[in-house]
Amino acid sequence: MICCVRLRICLRKKLYEAIRKEGLMVVSKTPLRASFFGGGTDFKDYFTHTKKGYGNVVSTALNMYVYIMVTKRFDDQIRVCYRIQEMVDHVDKIQHNIIREAMKIAGIEKGVDIVYSADIPISTSGVGLASSSAMAVGVLNALFAYKGIQLSPRQLAEYACEIEIGRLHSPIGIQDQFAVAFGGLKRYRFYPNGQVGVQSVICNPVLLALLKKRLMLFFTGMTRLASDILKDQKQNIADRMPVLDQMTDMVDESILALQEGSLDDWGYMLDRAWELKRAMSDKINNPCIEEMYQKGKSAGALGGKILGAGGGGFLLLYVPEEKQEKVQEALQDYRQIEFDFEQEGSRIIFME
């Protein structure tokens, strides 16, 4: 196993050396994520003031991805392709704010094509899977690799935070950037001094596989501007500190339940976490989401939550296997999404 790891490291070094010499095409692959417990405690307004001493989140990367391709142009123009196509002669003229700021950080100002695609349709409205952070991490990874520089997951996450929060002033926390950069099922702790602790959740693989089998994901059919909801949630933090403290504690409780094999307890905890999350802002829930959630619970789901900021996107439910057919029937008007856990974070998958 050690020899295999060393071989992969050696091959990656050779590939980066080749890019540095020849300026080749690069493609990055960055997973989306599902946050289970602790969402909201990753806001600086919370973890710098709580008596707990930190914010706390447990999340997993998913096998749904954002892809970024960077290639050299024959001229000095910049072409950026996503849901529209931009052709500009200077980095400051790029409308896509994340790509523009990532290019500035990477020190690339002209002569490239950047193409963005994803496994699920992603527009300006959010779906709760950390697509904007996956975009930031993925484009940084690709641009630095294009220059022959390999960044660590922590560097990618920190640069992405600098873009989204420091430069673009998005009212978001800092869990998503780390979740998509590192990948896997991990606990993230956010400390007042700015440090972020990253720890893999160690549990029996059989239990982890069983947990995955009991999770069902449905698209609500609604998208929303996450910034509007998160701005409202952020403004309420000072008045909701006891609620957020409970969310912080639930992270370690959920990990212990998973490690002990108390999976149904884990499911019931999701229900309690969703109740706490709804208390953070009246924009997180709505009648359509509530009806959908109650249909799932009436059919056999023990708990669940809307992923991300709320207001739409994807509904995650914990459902014992024998109840899943009934839940599918109850939610037949909604699209069910098949998914799996992803162990790796953002990575370079192609160089030519």
Side-chain angles (χ1 to χ4, degrees):
M1 181 66 178
I2 294 177
C3 291
C4 291
V5 173
R6 287 176 177 171
L7 177 60
R8 286 200 298 268
I9 292 174
C10 182
L11 289 174
R12 285 182 180 178
K13 286 182 177 179
K14 289 182 178 179
L15 286 170
Y16 278 89
E17 288 173 359
I19 294 175
R20 188 179 296 113
K21 293 176 182 178
E22 301 178 31
L24 306 177
M25 181 175 73
V26 175
V27 180
S28 68
K29 178 181 181 180
T30 305
L32 301 178
R33 70 92 188 95
S35 178
F36 295 131
F37 298 96
T41 71
D42 58 323
F43 281 92
K44 186 176 181 181
D45 305 66
Y46 170 74
F47 63 74
T48 57
H49 296 97
T50 177
K51 294 179 180 179
K52 296 287 182 182
Y54 54 82
N56 214 14
V57 169
V58 61
S59 65
T60 185
L62 302 174
N63 65 337
M64 294 182 257
Y65 308 95
V66 165
Y67 302 88
I68 305 291
M69 181 176 71
V70 179
T71 55
K72 182 177 178 62
R73 289 183 59 83
F74 72 97
D75 56 24
D76 288 340
Q77 295 288 99
I78 302 169
R79 185 172 69 102
V80 181
C81 298
Y82 42 111
R83 70 182 188 282
I84 65 172
Q85 177 173 289
E86 299 186 47
M87 181 72 78
V88 299
D89 57 11
H90 194 278
V91 64
D92 287 331
K93 296 180 180 180
I94 296 174
Q95 296 177 30
H96 196 296
N97 51 14
I98 290 177
I99 293 176
R100 181 186 65 241
E101 298 306 318
M103 288 186 65
K104 290 180 180 180
I105 286 176
I108 298 175
E109 298 184 350
K110 59 183 180 179
V112 292
D113 280 348
I114 301 175
V115 179
Y116 162 50
S117 62
D119 284 340
I120 60 173
I122 296 175
S123 65
T124 53
S125 297
V127 292
L129 300 178
S131 56
S132 65
S133 294
M135 152 68 79
V137 167
V139 74
L140 285 163
N141 203 359
L143 288 171
F144 274 96
Y146 178 78
K147 294 181 63 177
I149 300 172
Q150 182 178 15
L151 297 185
S152 69
R154 186 173 295 276
Q155 288 173 311
L156 288 170
E158 289 174 348
Y159 274 137
C161 288
E162 165 62 21
I163 290 173
E164 293 194 274
I165 301 172
R167 299 189 178 199
L168 302 180
H169 308 293
S170 298
I172 60 175
I174 60 175
Q175 65 158 312
D176 292 349
Q177 300 84 357
F178 284 82
V180 302
F182 278 89
L185 176 64
K186 290 183 171 61
R187 181 186 68 190
Y188 301 93
R189 281 191 173 176
F190 313 100
Y191 296 98
N193 63 1
Q195 293 298 307
V196 178
V198 181
Q199 183 177 22
S200 295
V201 175
I202 306 301
C203 71
N204 188 318
V206 175
L207 291 174
L208 191 59
L210 187 57
L211 173 64
K212 165 58 191 65
K213 287 183 180 179
R214 296 183 182 181
L215 294 177
M216 303 178 73
L217 189 63
F218 295 89
F219 182 50
T220 64
M222 297 175 283
T223 58
R224 74 288 183 273
L225 286 176
S227 59
D228 292 342
I229 300 171
L230 291 171
K231 187 181 297 183
D232 188 62
Q233 181 178 331
K234 189 171 184 289
Q235 291 174 347
N236 294 335
I237 285 177
D239 296 328
R240 304 290 196 280
M241 293 296 281
V243 173
L244 289 163
D245 285 345
Q246 290 183 63
M247 291 181 175
T248 294
D249 290 338
M250 286 187 72
V251 170
D252 293 337
E253 293 173 14
S254 70
I255 292 173
L256 182 60
L258 176 58
Q259 291 171 336
E260 292 180 344
S262 303
L263 297 186
D264 285 354
D265 289 345
W266 195 95
Y268 287 120
M269 288 178 65
L270 270 184
D271 184 59
R272 184 155 60 94
W274 175 232
E275 182 179 355
L276 292 171
K277 182 180 177 71
R278 286 177 292 183
M280 292 300 301
S281 167
D282 58 12
K283 295 182 179 181
I284 289 174
N285 198 20
N286 61 50
C288 293
I289 291 174
E290 185 62 22
E291 180 183 4
M292 187 178 179
Y293 185 60
Q294 292 305 325
K295 282 183 177 180
K297 286 188 65 178
S298 296
L302 302 186
K305 59 169 292 189
I306 290 291
L307 296 177
F314 289 89
L315 174 67
L316 181 75
L317 295 174
Y318 176 96
V319 187
E321 292 95 318
E322 67 273 12
K323 299 290 187 179
Q324 291 188 3
E325 187 174 343
K326 289 185 177 181
V327 170
Q328 287 173 332
E329 292 176 0
L331 298 178
Q332 60 183 316
D333 293 335
Y334 303 93
R335 182 178 177 182
Q336 183 179 359
I337 307 297
E338 297 297 327
F339 71 97
D340 204 349
F341 297 156
E342 168 60 76
Q343 294 304 310
E344 292 192 72
S346 184
R347 55 199 183 274
I348 303 300
I349 60 169
F350 187 80
M351 303 176 181
E352 184 178 74

